[in-house]
Amino acid sequence: MERGHEGFIRRCIELSYQAREKGNGPFGALLLLNGQIVLEAENTVVTGKNPLGHSELNLLTEAVRRFSREQLREATLYASAEPCVMCSGALFNSGIRHVVYALSAEALRPYFPDDPYISCRDILATSSARIRIEGPMLEAEAMKAHEGFWS
Amino acid sequence: MERHAPYLRRCIELSLRAREKGNMPFGSLLAVDGRIVLEGENTNSSEGHPFGHSEMNVLREACQRLSPGELQRAALYTAVEPCLMCCGAMLHSGVRHLVFGCTTKALLERTQPYPFIESQRVFELLGVSVTLEWLDMEAEVLKAHEGFWNS
Ligand SMILES: [Zn+2]
Ligand SMILES: [Zn+2]
């Protein structure tokens, strides 16, 4: 694991606690541009009554409004968990070409046994776009935010 | 299959309407028990919103307005095969029936090469059972795109 990622991943875990405190799923994401955190987002599925309110989609929706495609090509998306299919698609559409996550989809699987599951690596690998994917990392820390939430 | 044609023709109308507003020529609708309950068009330019895909616009509203039972019985009709993000949004919304009139591949052959992932492949990889129907209305659908991408 690259040491440089730790701080940003920990911030995503903090954001996932913030989301949980509001009653939402414990997920958080942030966008790094030129070494600076330029955007942060939380899961809003419960408070927004919106099953599409994933932290990554919330973040990316704002990112594509605020930054040019050229800027986004240099940006990194950090997330407390591996992006789902929808969010991987949004990442793909945004032009961002680097993603770093804490929890793997596999690690979260016991909480969502009936959900369609796939690693974002497998889904993005079917496209010819080159997206750098790093993770999982700090999984034990990230998993703490989920303890007792789903049961 | 033919029963789907009028819905897809309506999607083509919505595509043309989007284009008239300066947006990309894409349109979608949602039908429950054969009745059109929501329509959506691409809003990429008018709202300065790169994620304003017609499918996403329809699904976002559907999640707010329809019951889980209605979503389960709904069919998403869209002129052109949906992207990865919109396939993912469909899965999260609970909609399990997709009908489109033109493949992404056919569109991209006329426009410009761009990395993409076939929706069928997405659902296969995920192992979700989705009724996916492709009615070949390529010529009609692509008419709405004539002169749009290379002018
Ligand atoms: Zn997601
Ligand atoms: Zn889309």
Side-chain angles (χ1 to χ4, degrees):
Chain A
M1 179 176 86
E2 289 178 38
R3 289 198 68 81
H5 293 320
E6 276 179 40
F8 303 118
I9 286 292
R10 290 215 163 93
R11 178 61 191 149
C12 290
I13 298 172
E14 272 174 34
L15 292 165
S16 61
Y17 279 107
Q18 271 182 33
R20 180 175 175 159
E21 275 163 28
K22 295 170 192 156
N24 291 312
F27 298 99
L30 65 82
L31 192 74
L32 194 77
L33 189 61
N34 302 321
Q36 300 288 319
I37 297 176
V38 289
L39 279 176
E40 295 184 335
E42 301 170 14
N43 177 290
T44 54
V45 167
V46 175
T47 52
K49 297 190 181 71
N50 176 12
L52 311 183
H54 293 194
S55 61
E56 305 96 314
L57 187 70
N58 290 343
L59 184 92
L60 292 165
T61 301
E62 192 60 29
V64 293
R65 284 191 176 132
R66 301 246 300 254
F67 302 102
S68 70
R69 228 180 146 73
E70 288 67 39
Q71 286 176 301
L72 292 177
R73 206 175 299 137
E74 305 304 320
T76 301
L77 170 77
Y78 285 87
S80 65
E82 185 166 3
C84 74
V85 187
M86 173 180 72
C87 296
S88 297
L91 173 87
F92 180 84
N93 292 347
S94 74
I96 293 172
R97 290 297 173 254
H98 188 196
V99 56
V100 187
Y101 62 85
L103 280 170
S104 64
E106 182 74 53
L108 280 173
R109 187 151 174 71
Y111 289 124
F112 311 97
D114 301 324
D115 266 26
Y117 147 83
I118 193 170
S119 164
C120 73
R121 273 196 177 78
D122 295 332
I123 199 100
L124 291 171
T126 60
S127 136
S128 58
R130 288 231 171 87
I131 297 176
R132 209 167 121 221
I133 304 164
E134 296 182 79
M137 58 183 77
L138 299 178
E139 273 196 298
E141 264 182 73
M143 197 55 124
K144 276 214 177 93
H146 290 261
E147 267 171 23
F149 182 81
W150 302 103
S151 45
Chain B
M1 276 305 248
E2 270 312 305
R3 74 194 160 94
H4 294 317
Y7 299 101
L8 289 173
R9 294 217 164 89
R10 179 63 189 149
C11 292
I12 298 171
E13 277 174 25
L14 293 164
S15 309
L16 289 168
R17 213 164 76 180
R19 182 174 176 165
E20 275 164 26
K21 294 175 189 155
N23 295 320
M24 293 176 181
F26 296 103
S28 308
L29 63 83
L30 200 76
V32 179
D33 306 327
R35 199 169 53 87
I36 298 176
V37 291
L38 277 174
E39 295 184 333
E41 39 180 271
N42 179 286
T43 50
N44 266 18
S45 307
S46 60
E47 290 177 13
H49 186 345
F51 288 174
H53 292 192
S54 58
E55 301 93 328
M56 205 67 185
N57 290 340
V58 164
L59 291 167
R60 214 181 284 120
E61 207 172 326
C63 289
Q64 309 291 321
R65 300 216 337 226
L66 304 184
S67 69
E70 287 172 314
L71 288 165
Q72 215 168 48
R73 301 200 310 278
L76 175 67
Y77 287 86
T78 186
V80 180
E81 180 181 4
C83 75
L84 181 58
M85 172 179 75
C86 295
C87 287
M90 187 182 123
L91 291 177
H92 292 308
S93 72
V95 174
R96 288 294 179 271
H97 188 179
L98 170 68
V99 187
F100 58 86
C102 176
T103 61
T104 305
K105 188 166 179 283
L107 173 67
L108 291 178
E109 272 164 13
R110 313 282 180 91
T111 59
Q112 64 232 58
Y114 186 77
F116 76 100
I117 301 163
E118 281 174 17
S119 51
Q120 187 166 1
R121 181 98 181 93
V122 175
F123 300 128
E124 272 171 18
L125 276 168
L126 286 165
V128 198
S129 101
V130 165
T131 309
L132 189 147
E133 297 181 86
W134 168 50
L135 190 63
D136 187 1
M137 293 178 59
E138 199 178 298
E140 272 179 78
V141 170
L142 291 179
K143 239 194 198 128
H145 290 257
E146 256 172 29
F148 182 83
W149 299 98
N150 31 17
S151 56

